[in-house]
Amino acid sequence: MDEISSGCCRSLHVNEDNGRFVLLAVLIVLYLLCGAAVFSAIERPSELRAHGRWNRAVANFSQAFNISLRDLDSLLRDYEAAVAAGIRVDSLRPRWDFTGAFYFVGTVVSTIGFGMTTPVTVAGKVFLIFYGLLGCAATILFFNLFLERIITLLAVVMKAIRLRRLRNSGLLPPGICRDFAASSLPGWKPSVYYVMLILGLSALVISCCASAMYTPVEGWAYLDSLYYCFVTFSTIGFGDLVSSQSAAYEYQSLYRLANFLFILLGVCCIYSLFNVISIVIKQVLNWMLCKMSCLCCQRCNKPNAFLGRRNAIRPGSRVRRSRFARTADSEGPCDSDTEGRRLSGEMISMKDLAASSKVSLALMQKQLSESANGYPRTVCGSRQNGFSGGVGALGIMNNRLAETSGSR
């Protein structure tokens, strides 16, 4: 039994990355099961009532006009095929003129995919495969570069606010206030939680403004407009509500331009917000793994190797020392791979995570600090493998590629 516990403990320490992956997969499955249960409880009764109303309407129509149910079903199937081709009872804009095709390719490369327009020819379907492969990859790169620049801007603004507060409080040494703005603040790191809050508020403002436009122009309820904004900006793209589909609008050119800009800004903000939230989720996973490791090591009476792992930052003196003891001279790129791995830390306690918005999430905060201080975002150490730079998901991926290629 002790050998089994020891093997379990050793496996948990060695395969921590795999453990995080498996734990996340299990939590996502549980999340899906809970979501399915909630939506089934909410939407299933409405679906049953709709089926009942439809069956009564079909039966009444068949009796009133003396049409057999088989002929009526055949007519309805033809109508469904017409709807799939873009034909509606109400007048809609052409689907495949240049402006309609431009709207379609925009939904393709942004991965929104409303589904109200789809190619029906073999040539169109084959072209879509290759067109979407390159277009989606380029658009994801664009979103990552947008994330990098918006976080750089936020870091600079947050640093300027910090400097102003220090000047107003008289904490800056006399005579260096003007030059201090160009150097690093000792121990200062921009809070990832502030970045998440700013991105969330930005996405909310864009959604509210866009909904205020959609409600009178499209004739939707304001709540439906907010729902459409989230579904579109998050690139879910159900297609039950789609903007700019009527044949004509008042101030049509202006509306379609505003619609394009709102969707572009909304998708970029929501994508950036998702990346920042994913970092917080990773901290929760690390906290859960730490607790599991502690329980396992208590059973086999062994020290918790997870807490001593070099790329795991945990609350305590080491985190506080890294935040307040580092000087401006040490704020450049990492001196060593060990230091870089320590600063890319992935562990904070749930207590600090929930209690304070100033908890250090080291990897992204270091990138934020470098952005605000004007340092180049490079992978720790002098690697000549081409993988460097980036913030958020792009930076994490580049760091990982640099580490793996450097070890080969």
Side-chain angles (χ1 to χ4, degrees):
M1 187 65 182
D2 292 339
E3 293 180 357
I4 296 177
S5 299
S6 177
C8 174
C9 185
R10 188 162 49 248
S11 176
L12 183 62
H13 296 155
V14 173
N15 300 315
E16 182 188 333
D17 289 337
N18 293 334
R20 186 187 300 111
F21 172 78
V22 173
L23 178 60
L24 180 59
V26 171
L27 292 177
I28 288 176
V29 171
L30 293 176
Y31 192 74
L32 293 175
L33 293 175
C34 293
V38 172
F39 279 111
S40 179
I42 294 174
E43 299 293 338
R44 181 59 177 170
S46 177
E47 181 188 25
L48 295 177
R49 290 193 297 268
H51 273 292
R53 289 194 301 268
W54 174 250
N55 292 333
R56 289 192 297 270
V58 169
N60 293 337
F61 187 88
S62 175
Q63 294 176 1
F65 295 94
N66 196 22
I67 301 175
S68 67
L69 291 176
R70 178 176 297 179
D71 293 338
L72 185 57
D73 289 341
S74 177
L75 176 62
L76 292 174
R77 291 191 184 94
D78 292 338
Y79 176 71
E80 289 176 352
V83 169
I87 301 173
R88 299 289 195 279
V89 175
D90 298 326
S91 177
L92 295 178
R93 63 184 292 182
R95 294 293 178 88
W96 293 110
D97 64 348
F98 182 78
T99 57
F102 185 82
Y103 193 92
F104 166 73
V105 296
T107 62
V108 170
V109 300
S110 63
T111 70
I112 296 175
F114 286 124
M116 80 290 181
T117 302
T118 55
V120 295
T121 63
V122 175
K125 293 176 181 178
V126 172
F127 178 71
L128 175 64
I129 294 173
F130 295 98
Y131 183 84
L133 183 66
L134 181 61
C136 292
T139 305
I140 291 174
L141 175 61
F142 172 81
F143 290 156
N144 277 301
L145 295 178
F146 176 88
L147 170 64
E148 179 179 342
R149 278 147 184 79
I150 195 66
I151 287 182
T152 299
L153 175 63
L154 292 177
V156 172
V157 172
M158 291 162 65
K159 180 183 178 183
I161 294 174
R162 174 69 173 173
L163 284 169
R164 179 178 292 273
R165 289 180 177 175
L166 289 176
R167 290 193 190 100
N168 294 337
S169 61
L171 295 179
L172 286 180
I176 67 167
C177 292
R178 187 176 300 275
D179 298 333
F180 205 69
S183 63
S184 111
L185 286 172
W188 177 78
K189 292 290 188 298
S191 172
V192 174
Y193 297 109
Y194 288 154
V195 175
M196 183 170 63
L197 177 62
I198 293 172
L199 288 174
L201 291 176
S202 300
L204 181 61
V205 169
I206 293 173
S207 299
C208 290
C209 293
S211 299
M213 180 185 70
Y214 293 135
T215 297
V217 176
E218 298 289 350
W220 300 336
Y222 190 78
L223 183 60
D224 288 339
S225 298
L226 285 175
Y227 159 80
Y228 164 77
C229 288
F230 175 77
V231 169
T232 302
F233 297 166
S234 60
T235 71
I236 296 173
F238 289 127
D240 51 345
L241 295 175
V242 182
S243 62
S244 190
Q245 294 302 298
S246 296
Y249 293 96
E250 189 177 0
Y251 307 109
Q252 179 168 291
S253 299
L254 181 61
Y255 169 66
R256 287 181 174 168
L257 176 62
N259 179 56
F260 171 77
L261 292 177
F262 273 128
I263 292 178
L264 177 63
L265 292 175
V267 170
C268 289
C269 283
I270 291 293
Y271 177 85
S272 302
L273 181 62
F274 284 169
N275 274 278
V276 177
I277 292 175
S278 67
I279 295 176
V280 178
I281 293 176
K282 190 175 183 181
Q283 309 312 309
V284 177
L285 293 176
N286 286 330
W287 174 81
M288 296 176 68
L289 286 174
C290 180
K291 293 300 182 183
M292 294 168 60
S293 178
C294 290
L295 292 176
C296 180
C297 291
Q298 287 176 1
R299 292 179 179 179
C300 58
N301 296 322
K302 289 191 175 183
N304 189 350
F306 180 84
L307 297 178
R309 200 170 58 88
R310 65 174 182 172
N311 65 333
I313 284 187
R314 55 190 175 90
S317 58
R318 193 167 72 170
V319 173
R320 286 189 285 270
R321 185 167 61 250
S322 67
R323 294 186 63 189
F324 297 106
R326 299 188 71 197
T327 63
D329 295 333
S330 64
E331 278 288 344
C334 305
D335 297 330
S336 65
D337 182 68
T338 302
E339 176 71 7
R341 295 283 290 180
R342 187 176 65 80
L343 288 174
S344 68
E346 302 160 348
M347 257 312 301
I348 62 174
S349 73
M350 181 58 72
K351 178 180 178 181
D352 286 345
L353 177 67
S356 174
S357 65
K358 296 182 180 180
V359 174
S360 174
L361 302 180
L363 173 60
M364 191 156 187
Q365 287 181 328
K366 182 175 184 298
Q367 293 170 340
L368 288 170
S369 179
E370 290 175 351
S371 299
N373 295 326
Y375 293 130
R377 286 177 294 275
T378 57
V379 181
C380 301
S382 56
R383 296 187 176 98
Q384 303 298 326
N385 50 23
F387 300 118
S388 64
V391 172
L394 187 62
I396 294 170
M397 182 179 67
N398 283 333
N399 283 327
R400 177 63 68 184
L401 289 173
E403 291 171 0
T404 54
S405 63
S407 62
R408 290 171 182 167

